Amino acid sequence: MVPGFEDYTVPTTVHLDRPSDGLPRVLDSRSQVERAAAELREGHGPVAIDTERASGFRYGQRAFLVQIRREGAGTFLIDPEAVGSLAVVDDALRGVEWVLHAATQDLPCLRDLDMHPDRLFDTELGGRLAGLRRVGLAAETEELLGFTLAKEHSAVDWSKRPLPEPWLTYAALDVEVLVQLRWAVEDLLREQSKLDWALEEFEAVRSAPPAAPRKDPWRRTSGITKVRNRRQLTAVRNLWLAREDLARNRDISPGRLLPDSALVAAATTMPRTVPQLLKTPGFHGRAASREAPRWLTALQEARNAQDLVPYTVASDALPPVKAWDTKRPDAAARLKVFKPVVADLAEQHGMPTENLLVPEHLRRFAWDPPHSTSQEAVAHALEEIGARHWQIQLCAPALIDAWLRVERDAPGPAHG
């Protein structure tokens, strides 16, 4: 014990409050990005990448800042609004492993910038498979590396220009130790004999096609179950489309123009005049009054419509599970047995149930199982649904055993 330090406690973590190489400037010209690409090409090892969006402020989910760091090159902060396509950076990183945290959030906006990884390591997904209780970037970094990161700027308006220095510091730190975290997560996965599983999951995320546009997205309007008839439903549709068009043109989040609750309130009361409209809950502020003719037109067209929208649309979605007992009792019986089996298996392997087998995959398997309980038939059915090879290897035997128990307890012939 050093004299005078008897009561001193050695800190268990180190707080990172500034980038090790200093805060880089934001690149906002093609020539700057081209020079950065050349430096990244000469770097070595994996590349850490992150993006910052302006969710809740701007229309859509595009990136307003892209952070990139690679050993031997350093950290680069790029303003994609100013420079557009980052294909030159993508080309410089051909064949290089990209390290992202929660890649499904960043890959869509990176694709919009012409950036497509050849190889991927997702530290968030890897942490889930390794059984970490907290898988946020700051939490993983603290637990595995002993560094703490501030997260107070995660939900700010990243479309703001110029970006404040504290925000840029936060953004640069997000990629500062990401590659180091990648190696720590790999060590954890390797110790648990899960690395091959994780690599298969990463490749599935990397190669997944872009999500198909949602059919009738207006049907997801919060509170839409309050509408009482098809004309009101048509009014919700009209108001939603009018708001979407205005939001797109103004590049603003639709909810900042009018909340969903306002659309539903107007659809259920159908105001005819501006004063009536502005007394409707949620219709306040400049977007409500200045654009009142837009909203009233949407409502008037719903009042006059002959072709009203249907209550429901054709979908390949499964019925709600609570309806299975009536619609397909045998599927309900299978699911009741399958769910705890998969949950127990996930607990045995130290990971969340949804990472062992996606709940939608399990429901589809229970709803429409193969015609045989053979290993080959069950494996093929799971693969067709979308399960990965490692998931099938773990889950198929347990599901077959559970299914056979269901068949033994049920009347009628068993599957063979």
Side-chain angles (χ1 to χ4, degrees):
M1 178 70 67
V2 178
F5 286 83
E6 291 82 2
D7 297 327
Y8 178 75
T9 300
V10 178
T12 57
T13 61
V14 175
H15 180 64
L16 297 182
D17 57 3
R18 62 179 61 86
S20 57
D21 302 328
L23 182 61
R25 61 168 296 185
V26 177
L27 309 183
D28 55 8
S29 72
R30 295 302 307 169
S31 60
Q32 291 172 344
V33 171
E34 288 168 0
R35 286 194 294 272
E39 293 181 48
L40 286 165
R41 189 189 300 275
E42 295 303 314
H44 53 86
V47 60
I49 299 181
D50 190 25
T51 68
E52 304 297 343
R53 296 172 298 279
S55 304
F57 295 95
R58 294 289 186 165
Y59 185 82
Q61 294 295 318
R62 68 190 189 275
F64 283 89
L65 189 70
V66 177
Q67 308 100 278
I68 306 177
R69 179 177 176 82
R70 192 180 188 196
E71 284 299 310
T75 298
F76 301 93
L77 304 179
I78 302 174
D79 180 358
E81 289 288 284
V83 301
S85 170
L86 297 183
V88 64
V89 175
D90 184 69
D91 182 66
L93 298 175
R94 286 273 67 85
V96 176
E97 180 188 80
W98 295 17
V99 182
L100 287 87
H101 192 83
T104 54
Q105 298 180 21
D106 295 303
L107 287 177
C109 61
L110 288 169
R111 291 191 187 108
D112 290 342
L113 296 170
D114 302 315
M115 294 187 68
H116 310 271
D118 291 328
R119 291 188 292 142
L120 175 68
F121 193 104
D122 186 332
T123 49
E124 190 263 358
L125 180 52
R128 289 185 185 278
L129 295 174
L132 296 180
R133 291 173 300 163
R134 299 182 302 150
V135 293
L137 178 59
E140 282 195 19
T141 300
E142 181 173 357
E143 180 172 351
L144 298 183
L145 302 180
F147 299 131
T148 61
L149 298 171
K151 299 301 293 181
E152 66 267 20
H153 302 305
S154 60
V156 298
D157 181 4
W158 287 94
S159 68
K160 179 182 175 68
R161 294 295 184 270
L163 286 165
E165 184 172 311
W167 298 13
L168 294 173
T169 297
Y170 156 87
L173 288 174
D174 268 0
V175 292
E176 178 82 8
V177 293
L178 192 53
V179 170
Q180 191 175 343
L181 179 63
R182 174 246 184 274
W183 297 118
V185 171
E186 177 179 318
D187 287 344
L188 202 56
L189 290 166
R190 195 182 297 277
E191 290 170 8
Q192 300 175 10
S193 300
K194 295 177 181 176
L195 182 58
D196 287 342
W197 303 352
L199 295 178
E200 189 174 351
E201 286 297 288
F202 301 160
E203 177 58 19
V205 170
R206 186 198 71 82
S207 60
R214 188 182 298 276
K215 185 176 183 179
D216 289 350
W218 58 269
R219 290 183 181 272
R220 295 176 64 84
T221 301
S222 179
I224 198 171
T225 54
K226 296 177 183 177
V227 302
R228 296 185 293 272
N229 53 57
R230 290 173 61 196
R231 193 166 301 280
Q232 291 181 356
L233 199 62
T234 303
V236 172
R237 189 271 313 267
N238 290 359
L239 288 166
W240 190 94
L241 292 175
R243 183 184 67 173
E244 194 75 2
D245 183 61
L246 181 60
R248 185 184 301 107
N249 290 335
R250 289 191 179 179
D251 190 15
I252 188 172
S253 173
R256 294 179 73 85
L257 294 173
L258 288 176
D260 281 5
S261 60
L263 307 188
V264 173
T268 53
T269 58
M270 300 291 276
R272 294 176 177 271
T273 66
V274 171
Q276 289 174 348
L277 179 72
L278 297 182
K279 289 180 181 178
T280 304
F283 279 83
H284 50 76
R286 286 183 296 177
S289 56
R290 183 183 299 171
E291 299 295 333
R294 180 188 300 268
W295 316 128
L296 291 174
T297 296
L299 292 167
Q300 183 62 38
E301 289 175 351
R303 267 193 297 270
N304 297 337
Q306 299 297 314
D307 186 17
L308 301 176
V309 299
Y311 269 119
T312 58
V313 292
S315 170
D316 62 354
L318 296 176
V321 171
K322 62 184 179 182
W324 286 25
D325 283 327
T326 302
K327 290 180 176 291
R328 195 173 289 185
D330 57 335
R334 283 190 292 271
L335 186 63
K336 287 175 184 176
V337 175
F338 289 167
K339 287 178 69 175
V341 165
V342 175
D344 289 345
L345 195 59
E347 185 175 0
Q348 292 173 27
H349 290 282
M351 69 177 70
T353 303
E354 61 270 20
N355 289 112
L356 177 59
L357 192 61
V358 177
E360 176 69 8
H361 293 171
L362 182 60
R363 288 191 290 268
R364 288 194 175 276
F365 181 80
W367 181 261
D368 189 18
H371 296 298
S372 168
T373 56
S374 70
Q375 176 76 23
E376 182 181 6
V378 169
H380 179 72
L382 288 171
E383 184 179 15
E384 287 293 301
I385 291 168
R388 259 74 74 188
H389 179 68
W390 72 272
Q391 295 173 323
I392 295 170
Q393 282 188 316
L394 289 179
C395 294
L399 290 174
I400 291 171
D401 288 344
W403 188 5
L404 290 173
R405 290 200 304 273
V406 174
E407 295 289 351
R408 283 195 297 266
D409 295 340
H415 290 272

